[in-house]
Amino acid sequence: MALEQVLRPQDFATEVHNDWCPGCGDFGILRTIQMAFAEMKMEPHRVAVVSGIGCSAKTIHYIKTYGVHTLHGRALPYASGVKLANPHLKVLCLSGDGDGLGIGGGHFVNAGRRNLDMLYIIHDNGVYGLTKGQAAPTLKLGVKTKSLAHPNINDAVNPIWLALAAGATWVGRGYSYDVKHLRDLIISGIRHKGYAFLDVLQPCPTYNDINTKDWYGGEDRKDDTGRAMPRVYKLVDEGFDPVVREPADVEGKTTQALEKALEWGDRIPIGVFYENELTPTFEERIGKRIATYADHPPALQAIGTRDGIPVTDVGRLLAALTVPPSA
Ligand code: SF4
């Protein structure tokens, strides 16, 4: 596809049948990813989107770029491998909150420590939609959705807190029904130099009848004029500045982000909580250790001749990894 043709969101749409439920918040996330790619004039062959398992994971089938639908909870390590093999690719990773913060919780922490230059999006709806709505890690303690026999007995993970504590250098939250705002967040996360984590509030109308579009929009509480009072508000509208400009800013910017991340209920902030490009990326650290890495990463190296004969010298590799016996 010629670059000049790749300007519309629909140019990133596949013809794969979509079987999400009507009204699912996943539609907004899919659309905004396609809008962001179009806006950024991304070339499909330079983009890889990796997903785990769940309703969210189907997203990769509907985006016309490279895509891999991997194992439950393992999207992040797979995406990390893709990025390390070819750091010239733009890599997006997608999970649900069950996929990414439940079974994939350990990977979530270690992705923050590494600071690979990629964007990780969690479709956050509080339930395991694909398996009939069991409580997922972000569902609050005591909440009883229509899919649960009893109120949730576990406390919830706060994804923003966890991402900050793990070391993510860009942390944001979007809302799947605020499409333009979410598109801008995705663009910002992709452009960020380092690991960007984006939590997206994504109503699941089929199994979560508590955190619905109407609930986020405040339809259950009206002001004196009868207008709904939305719970979701934008950080930028209140002058929140998330950017670390010098090392001395880190403590203060982290603290204010943690404080904002505690807001929930009547007021739910969306936008960029934290942004820090002072930390070296994992690729930069590897480049210091292996001088040829940036120009000759593994995916761009020949692994065989035209006749299929391997060119890899396993002997050299093993020799380099051998620990000499102690004297
Ligand atoms: Fe969306 Fe929920 Fe249906 Fe899954 S079960 S497609 S998350 S509405």
Side-chain angles (χ1 to χ4, degrees):
M1 186 182 293
L3 179 58
E4 59 270 17
Q5 290 176 286
V6 187
L7 293 172
R8 301 168 307 163
Q10 53 266 44
D11 290 320
F12 289 93
T14 67
E15 293 177 3
V16 175
H17 172 71
N18 188 311
D19 57 4
W20 285 329
C21 310
C24 176
D26 282 334
F27 286 104
I29 299 175
L30 169 63
R31 184 65 176 169
T32 47
I33 291 172
Q34 292 165 335
M35 288 166 69
F37 286 175
E39 179 82 17
M40 297 177 78
K41 299 182 173 54
M42 301 271 258
E43 295 174 276
H45 68 285
R46 297 190 192 281
V47 181
V49 187
V50 179
S51 67
I53 295 293
C55 296
S56 61
K58 298 177 184 177
T59 310
I60 63 117
H61 296 278
Y62 312 138
I63 301 176
K64 198 186 285 180
T65 61
Y66 287 119
V68 193
H69 193 158
T70 64
L71 301 174
H72 196 26
R74 310 300 174 218
L76 267 177
Y78 200 105
S80 300
V82 170
K83 185 67 184 180
L84 284 172
N86 187 354
H88 304 298
L89 283 177
K90 289 288 182 197
V91 176
L92 260 70
C93 185
L94 310 176
S95 292
D97 59 294
D99 186 45
L101 296 164
I103 189 171
H107 301 306
F108 187 97
V109 172
N110 287 297
R113 293 171 57 222
R114 290 198 184 95
N115 199 33
L116 275 158
D117 186 9
M118 64 182 190
L119 171 62
Y120 183 36
I121 298 176
I122 279 196
H123 302 221
D124 183 353
N125 58 28
V127 293
Y128 288 89
L130 193 69
T131 51
K132 307 283 186 240
Q134 297 88 347
T138 60
L139 192 70
K140 304 293 185 202
L141 175 67
V143 169
K144 183 188 175 307
T145 61
K146 64 182 176 184
S147 55
L148 298 178
H150 303 283
N152 183 21
I153 199 167
N154 290 307
D155 212 338
V157 170
N158 183 322
I160 305 290
W161 264 60
L162 192 58
L164 288 163
T169 51
W170 185 103
V171 180
R173 181 195 281 142
Y175 176 47
S176 64
Y177 289 105
D178 192 335
V179 171
K180 284 186 183 164
H181 183 256
L182 183 55
R183 175 203 61 187
D184 292 347
L185 282 175
I186 290 172
I187 291 173
S188 176
I190 292 172
R191 287 193 174 138
H192 173 71
K193 184 177 78 72
Y195 175 63
F197 168 66
L198 179 60
D199 180 43
V200 182
L201 306 173
Q202 174 255 310
C204 166
T206 301
Y207 293 115
N208 187 338
D209 57 335
I210 306 296
N211 307 121
T212 61
K213 183 182 177 190
D214 282 354
W215 184 81
Y216 285 116
E219 294 291 339
D220 58 323
R221 53 190 200 147
K222 303 277 171 79
D223 64 15
D224 294 341
T225 65
R227 289 172 46 166
M229 296 192 292
R231 289 181 165 82
V232 171
Y233 76 94
K234 297 184 178 76
L235 287 167
V236 70
D237 288 346
E238 302 203 346
F240 187 84
D241 176 7
V243 181
V244 170
R245 296 181 178 81
E246 54 183 323
D249 291 344
V250 170
E251 186 177 338
K253 296 289 181 177
T254 305
T255 302
Q256 69 166 8
L258 290 167
E259 285 174 355
K260 276 291 167 194
L262 281 179
E263 287 186 10
W264 188 262
D266 287 344
R267 282 170 58 78
I268 301 173
I270 57 173
V272 181
F273 286 70
Y274 184 79
E275 183 177 343
N276 176 4
E277 290 197 334
L278 303 182
T279 306
T281 65
F282 196 66
E283 301 90 304
E284 287 172 338
R285 290 178 219 162
I286 290 183
K288 284 195 174 159
R289 192 173 291 183
I290 305 170
T292 55
Y293 175 68
D295 295 328
H296 300 285
L300 302 184
Q301 292 182 26
I303 57 172
T305 65
R306 285 180 178 276
D307 302 326
I309 309 220
V311 295
T312 310
D313 185 347
V314 178
R316 262 183 63 202
L317 177 67
L318 291 176
L321 294 174
T322 300
V323 178
S326 51

